[in-house]
């Protein structure tokens, strides 16, 4: 997984900062939840924020988690992985287009193949597909057609935005041992970075999958 790069590039922030050290996404969720019982968006203490977020989760009142969002840039994954990622319908995606990328596609090679007797054949076929792809493009075949020769191992990059509810759902499905290794690595990295900026909202998942 040395090629994988996951980076949290933006997340929800308050325009008017509050006094204590509660992180903005946690505060936005808790104070949005609290508004159903009081008139104002209050300056809640850290303990109260934690209590409210846990209560919302335990009650299944998770629509409140949709008030915060997280945007990640993900590089160095295969199209196998990105295909699984884009099945998550509540997220927003922008993926590198194969119609406009440079001529020299790269590939992701699973460790199991890299360490096996199939490595040489696997790498040779990747090279052959890349060579034919380049030859076809140079001969005037459009990239949108030439790309049909590229295997699922072809490397891609993608920007993903999820609200807090969807990110929690995604992590629950994709960070567990039953998930495929590549998307699992992506989900675990997203969890680590989301937990840094929203430690209360992601605390239970951090304990479940990382601690
Ligand atoms: C281990 C694993 C193996 C898998 N294997 C396969 C496989 O073999 N073949 C395959 O096709 N897929 C497979 N998938 C993908 C899986 O079926 C889902 O498409 C994918 O995980 C997205 O999950 P989701 O629909 O819950 O999430 P999202 O699309 O992110 O949706 C989030 C939630 O919103 C709600 N929602 C979204 N859209 C609708 C809707 N139209 N109607 C009602 N509620 C909705 C649901 O509550 C849903 O859980 C696999 C997933 C995992 C984790």
């Amino acid at each position: 997984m040395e090629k994988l790069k996951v980076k949290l590039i933006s997340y929800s922030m308050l325009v008017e900062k509050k006094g204590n050290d509660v992180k903005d996404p946690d505060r936005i969720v808790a104070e949005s939840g609290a508004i159903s019982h009081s008139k104002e968006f209050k300056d809640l203490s850290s303990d109260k924020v934690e209590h409210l977020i846990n209560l919302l989760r335990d009650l299944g009142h998770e629509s409140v988690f949709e008030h915060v969002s997280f945007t990640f840039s993900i590089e160095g994954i295969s199209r196998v992985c990105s295909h699984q990622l884009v099945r998550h319908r509540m997220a927003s995606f922008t993926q590198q287009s194969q119609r406009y990328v440079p001529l020299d596609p790269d590939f992701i090679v699973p460790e199991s193949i890299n360490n096996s007797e199939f490595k040489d054949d696997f790498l040779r076929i990747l090279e052959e597909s890349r060579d034919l792809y380049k030859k076809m493009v140079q001969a005037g075949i459009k990239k949108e057609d030439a790309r049909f020769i590229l295997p699922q191992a072809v490397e891609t990059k993608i920007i993903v935005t999820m609200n807090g509810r969807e990110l929690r759902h995604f992590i629950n499905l994709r960070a567990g041992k039953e998930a495929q290794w590549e998307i699992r690595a992506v989900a675990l990295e997203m969890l680590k970075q989301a937990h840094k900026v929203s430690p209360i909202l992601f605390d239970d998942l951090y304990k479940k999958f990382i601690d």
Side-chain angles (χ1 to χ4, degrees):
M1 291 305 303
E2 74 271 12
K3 285 188 166 183
L4 176 66
K5 272 195 212 137
V6 176
K7 190 167 181 217
L8 177 66
I9 54 176
S10 73
Y11 61 94
S12 299
M13 289 197 166
L14 286 163
V15 172
E16 286 177 30
K17 296 291 175 194
K18 300 285 174 76
N20 62 30
D21 58 358
V22 176
K23 304 274 191 194
D24 281 359
D26 289 341
R27 178 175 296 288
I28 293 166
V29 168
E31 296 192 356
S32 301
I35 218 162
S36 59
H37 297 292
S38 63
K39 289 189 184 128
E40 288 178 30
F41 200 76
K42 286 180 179 168
D43 194 358
L44 298 174
S45 70
S46 169
D47 285 351
K48 190 74 184 156
V49 167
E50 188 171 349
H51 170 75
L52 269 167
I53 289 181
N54 290 342
L55 185 67
L56 291 166
R57 191 191 56 230
D58 294 346
L59 289 172
H61 190 6
E62 294 194 11
S63 59
V64 181
F65 300 168
E66 296 166 19
H67 292 301
V68 290
S69 81
F70 303 83
T71 299
F72 298 87
S73 145
I74 302 170
E75 295 184 14
I77 55 168
S78 68
R79 283 228 159 207
V80 173
C81 183
S82 68
H83 184 77
Q84 294 174 77
L85 197 49
V86 301
R87 293 294 302 277
H88 290 272
R89 295 159 289 178
M90 298 296 117
S92 307
F93 303 98
T94 305
Q95 184 163 15
Q96 179 183 49
S97 167
Q98 286 185 314
R99 296 172 72 188
Y100 304 108
V101 288
L103 197 51
D104 227 349
D106 256 324
F107 301 106
I108 304 297
V109 181
E111 275 303 299
S112 62
I113 296 174
N114 220 5
N115 298 327
S116 76
E117 74 269 30
F118 301 108
K119 178 182 175 183
D120 291 345
D121 283 343
F122 188 87
L123 295 180
R124 178 178 50 75
I125 291 170
L126 291 184
E127 274 310 316
E128 284 172 7
S129 78
R130 175 163 41 205
D131 288 349
L132 181 53
Y133 170 80
K134 283 162 75 173
K135 254 189 236 162
M136 288 193 287
V137 173
Q138 279 156 355
I141 306 276
K142 285 184 177 165
K143 281 182 182 167
E144 68 183 37
D145 291 341
R147 67 180 163 177
F148 278 62
I149 196 64
L150 296 174
Q152 294 192 74
V154 72
E155 191 176 319
T156 188
K157 41 180 102 160
I158 191 164
I159 304 286
V160 183
T161 300
M162 294 185 186
N163 66 42
R165 185 185 200 177
E166 175 65 359
L167 182 53
R168 287 179 50 82
H169 175 71
F170 169 78
I171 289 165
N172 260 317
L173 286 181
R174 301 295 188 174
K177 292 207 165 69
E178 63 290 348
Q180 184 258 351
W181 61 269
E182 196 179 13
I183 196 158
R184 181 166 182 245
V186 170
L188 288 170
E189 200 46 52
M190 287 166 78
L191 170 56
K192 280 183 203 158
Q193 296 187 32
H195 181 258
K196 272 193 191 141
V197 299
S198 188
I200 301 176
L201 183 58
F202 292 95
D203 187 50
D204 57 330
L205 299 179
Y206 194 86
K207 286 182 178 135
K208 181 173 171 186
F209 293 114
I210 292 176
D211 255 359

